[in-house]
Amino acid sequence: MSATTFNRLRHHFEDFSVGDMVVSPGRTVDISDISAFAGLTGDHYPLHVDEEYGRGTRFGGRIAHGPLTFSLAVGQIALSGFLGDAIVAFLECQNMRALAPVFPGDTIRVRAEVAEAEAGKPKYGVLRLDYTVLNQKDEEVMRFRMVLLARRTAPAPAEPARSEQGGPGE
């Protein structure tokens, strides 16, 4: 399934197929995002909040927090509608790698692809989606796998047992 033809009305695990993919629109990360994240989380590490400090590092200036990049990536896919309302729980984030810095002014977009779909239990299935975060230069800045619990289609109700012998009037 292509990135532009997925069903935005996904309600169940069965609405997903391995290979389904979406690419989010771009989102520019600015200083206010980084400052707000620092304030919200209490992570005021100088690399993120002090431009002078940042200039003296290998990055040459402030960079976004890795967890901010992760959060924006998750949000971009949520905003895309790709997951519909099928997801009932976040189970795990696997193999997260920060591959390159995100600088104020960078525009990131996210590609998410269904890598595995495990039916598992009657009520829920497990989806494993590979997320790739790209900057405006098409450089991969982060990648990770999200493991999500999705509701399954309700099983059809069991039909009442039918008797081999007909009753009166049959």
Side-chain angles (χ1 to χ4, degrees):
M1 184 174 280
S2 78
T4 57
T5 61
F6 65 85
N7 176 5
R8 290 182 183 273
L9 301 175
R10 295 171 191 240
H11 299 296
H12 301 100
F13 169 83
E14 290 80 6
D15 296 328
F16 295 86
S17 297
V18 171
D20 285 357
M21 181 181 62
V22 65
V23 178
S24 77
R27 193 230 190 259
T28 301
V29 179
D30 61 29
I31 289 288
S32 66
D33 295 318
I34 296 168
S35 296
F37 191 81
L40 180 66
T41 63
D43 182 352
H44 294 279
Y45 190 72
L47 182 58
H48 309 301
V49 299
D50 182 340
E51 185 61 35
E52 283 301 311
Y53 178 88
R55 279 193 198 116
T57 69
R58 68 188 201 143
F59 304 112
R62 291 170 64 169
I63 63 170
H65 305 72
L68 172 59
T69 302
F70 167 78
S71 298
L72 292 172
V74 170
Q76 286 297 98
I77 297 306
L79 287 171
S80 77
F82 182 66
L83 299 173
D85 66 355
I87 305 305
V88 297
F90 163 79
L91 298 177
E92 184 177 358
C93 178
Q94 299 174 334
N95 305 315
M96 183 184 295
R97 301 272 311 186
L99 303 167
V102 174
F103 295 96
D106 280 357
T107 299
I108 60 171
R109 68 185 191 291
V110 185
R111 181 177 60 235
E113 182 174 351
V114 178
E116 296 177 28
E118 180 185 327
K121 310 256 179 185
K123 290 177 87 175
Y124 302 106
V126 175
L127 295 171
R128 289 177 177 80
L129 285 86
D130 289 336
Y131 281 53
T132 304
V133 184
L134 304 163
N135 67 16
Q136 69 279 1
K137 300 174 193 170
D138 282 332
E139 297 167 333
E140 196 172 337
V141 297
M142 182 175 279
R143 87 171 74 111
F144 54 92
R145 177 169 281 189
M146 292 286 284
V147 183
L148 304 169
L149 192 66
R151 78 176 53 81
R152 295 200 60 198
T153 305
E159 291 187 28
R162 295 175 67 175
S163 163
E164 290 293 322
Q165 295 181 343
E170 290 187 6

